[in-house]
């Protein structure tokens, strides 16, 4: 199953950015699982870009660090399909 997840993320009190992520899975994922994957993608991406993250942190440590820096990620739209999601397909859902 292939998924296109469209949402927004922000941190450090900046305006939010619209983002598109594509996920594939052998099993069907629930909306809650996809929302969690989208959120955690931005949690870890933020931590990679900052010098404050430390080795040995748990998932909860990364989430706390993200949220302490005004981090948030919200899913606006989820497309589920058995067909591969291409860039052209992605662009069609932007409008």
């Amino acid at each position: 199953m292939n998924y296109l997840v469209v949402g927004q993320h922000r941190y450090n009190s900046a305006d939010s950015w619209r983002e598109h992520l594509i996920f594939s899975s052998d099993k069907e994922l629930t909306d809650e699982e996809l929302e969690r994957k989208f959120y955690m993608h931005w949690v870890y991406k933020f931590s990679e870009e900052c010098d404050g993250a430390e080795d040995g942190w748990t998932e909860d440590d990364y989430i706390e660090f993200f949220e302490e820096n005004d981090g948030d990620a919200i899913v606006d739209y989820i497309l589920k399909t058995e067909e591969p999601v291409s860039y052209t397909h992605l662009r069609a859902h932007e409008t």
Side-chain angles (χ1 to χ4, degrees), residues 29-95:
L29 300 175
T30 65
D31 287 355
E32 291 78 22
E33 289 171 314
L34 290 163
E35 289 170 1
R36 175 78 176 173
K37 286 175 77 66
F38 185 85
Y39 185 82
M40 292 308 298
H41 171 84
W42 296 112
V43 166
Y44 287 120
K45 186 156 181 70
F46 171 73
S47 298
E48 289 172 5
E49 295 174 0
C50 294
D51 294 329
E54 298 180 18
D55 290 336
W57 273 13
T58 66
E59 185 175 274
D60 288 338
D61 293 327
Y62 283 103
I63 292 170
E64 181 179 348
F65 181 61
F66 182 65
E67 291 175 354
E68 284 176 351
N69 286 281
D70 200 27
D72 198 8
I74 300 165
V75 171
D76 297 320
Y77 177 79
I78 297 172
L79 170 71
K80 300 177 182 183
T81 180
E82 292 184 17
E83 300 297 320
V85 179
S86 69
Y87 182 73
T88 303
H89 196 165
L90 173 72
R91 298 292 295 174
H93 288 277
E94 283 189 338
T95 58

Side-chain angles (χ1 to χ4, degrees), residues 1-3 23-29:
M1 189 65 108
N2 298 294
Y3 304 93
F23 300 106
S24 294
S25 176
D26 292 336
K27 71 174 190 102
E28 187 167 348
L29 300 175

